[in-house]
Amino acid sequence: MSKLVINGGKQLNGEVSISGSKNAALPILSASLLAEGLVSVSNVPKLQDVETLIDLLAAMGVNVSRTDDHSIELNAANLTSHTAPYHLVKKMRASILVLGPLLARFGQANVSFPGGCAIGNRSVDMHLEGLRAMGASINIEHGYIRAECVGQLRGAEIYHDSVSVGATENLMMAACLARGQTVIHNAAREPEIVDLGECLIRWGAKVKGLGSSKLVIEGVKTLSGGFHRVIPDRIEAGTFMTAVTATGGRIKLANADPSHLYAVMKKLRDTGARITSNRNSILIEMSGKKSKAVDIKTAPYPGLPTDMQALFTALSTISVGTCFLEETIFENRFMHVQELKRMGADISVKDNIARVVGIQNLYGAEVMASDLRASAALIIAGLVASGKTTVFGMEHTDRGYENIDLKLASLGADIVRI
Ligand code: UD1
């Protein structure tokens, strides 16, 4: 198992290129199951989660080839299996995204039931309820979701009590090949949903309302397949922006989309960062001052992403003043707090709210990452701490950040992977 060793206290300066979005790439690659012809996807980040999904699709008989480091061609013309096995689903919950496409195109799916995970329960009831409304018969047997439908799925009126990114994606994909119209009320509005929808439209689907909370999908007979370029990763961009706000310095993010980052940029500006942007780049500068403590509350898009909460927690530990960070999406997403406290942070958590009292500086320590964003929070803490920090649990980091160590080193951080 690799670990990161960071000698903190260096400012970040220079330019970094943002990779393609993990959370857009995963549903788009899963959507290849819907297409009759060749699918070609570019700007796919090189990440463990993408590898896991490729292994899963290949195990089902999808012909997968990498045309270069960040481009993948997929052909699901000759599927040999409709099963997503336990050993792959347990590595990555997003494997559930093959359920809707398999059912819509082949009339059957057998997907290992995703268990709980470090950040919360993460039920899939909304995925299943929506597919049942579309005519699927679904049973949970021996740890597997066994789903089938007679003939085609049929369009349905679906209402979600709360906003789910994954359920919206699964049902939107399924609805593309259903008979008639599907309406998803209280749909998620995340940029990754819009990207998936635009990709499906390019391949022949009829989807309206992207970016709003009401999606209307008119089923079509087939999707042809075709090309799609994945949007930039807004959470990776937010991670680098938070890092430079914590360490000081000036960095340019190339291949970033500022239009996806209004909430994050607003909060970072409130802490004192200077941010300017063009259509596909962001310049952020934090010079000669410490960040100010700022309260945050996570919310579905366009609110502040839950995936940024751990990063704001790390920043708040060394900000001037006291702030409250409220997590509203996942019930157990403060696992990083105990580790930050081992670095000297003054944080107390009650229910879903963390109270952080900013201190002069953290000190380096050995810390263990519990999940993907927690690992990035600990890396940011290590970048500002005095002395040496060793971050264990890099397998979490590698699920969602492409070469974060090399990118930070290129900006002047003293960071090595061992
Ligand atoms: C996706 C993102 C993840 C992000 C999250 C929220 C991917 C691969 N992952 O996860 O990085 O943190 O959105 O922005 O895109 N829920 C239910 N029943 C369901 C589905 C969800 O109760 O059937 C609950 C979850 O437990 C959670 C909340 O709804 O509390 C939001 O989850 P959801 O939006 O579905 O997250 P994911 O799609 O799993």
Side-chain angles (χ1 to χ4, degrees), residues 57-84:
L57 294 170
M60 293 191 293
V62 178
N63 208 323
V64 187
S65 58
R66 280 193 178 275
T67 46
D68 65 47
D69 257 10
H70 296 103
S71 303
I72 300 179
E73 286 187 352
L74 307 103
N75 192 330
N78 299 307
L79 227 60
T80 50
S81 156
H82 306 109
T83 296

Side-chain angles (χ1 to χ4, degrees), residues 22-24 26-27 49 93-94 97 119-128 162-167 169 188 190 192 234 300 305-307 328-331 333 373:
K22 167 178 88 72
N23 288 353
L26 295 175
D49 273 7
R93 290 180 45 85
L97 292 173
I119 60 175
N121 260 338
R122 299 187 95 175
S123 164
V124 290
D125 55 337
M126 290 156 72
H127 301 238
L128 304 189
S162 58
V163 176
S164 164
V165 173
E169 290 167 346
E190 269 66 4
E192 294 76 19
R234 63 192 167 106
T306 171
D307 285 1
T328 71
I329 310 288
F330 290 108
E331 63 269 33
R333 208 168 196 178
R373 304 306 169 191

Side-chain angles (χ1 to χ4, degrees), residues 2 17 37 63 65 76 95 155 196 227 230 237 260 292 319 334 347-348 352 356 365 388 390-391 405-406 411:
S2 62
S17 180
N63 208 323
S65 58
S95 310
L196 170 65
F227 174 74
V230 173
H260 299 158
K292 279 192 302 234
S319 294
F334 283 118
I347 312 176
S348 48
N352 63 332
V356 187
K388 182 169 119 179
T390 307
V391 183
D405 45 334
L406 301 181
L411 295 172

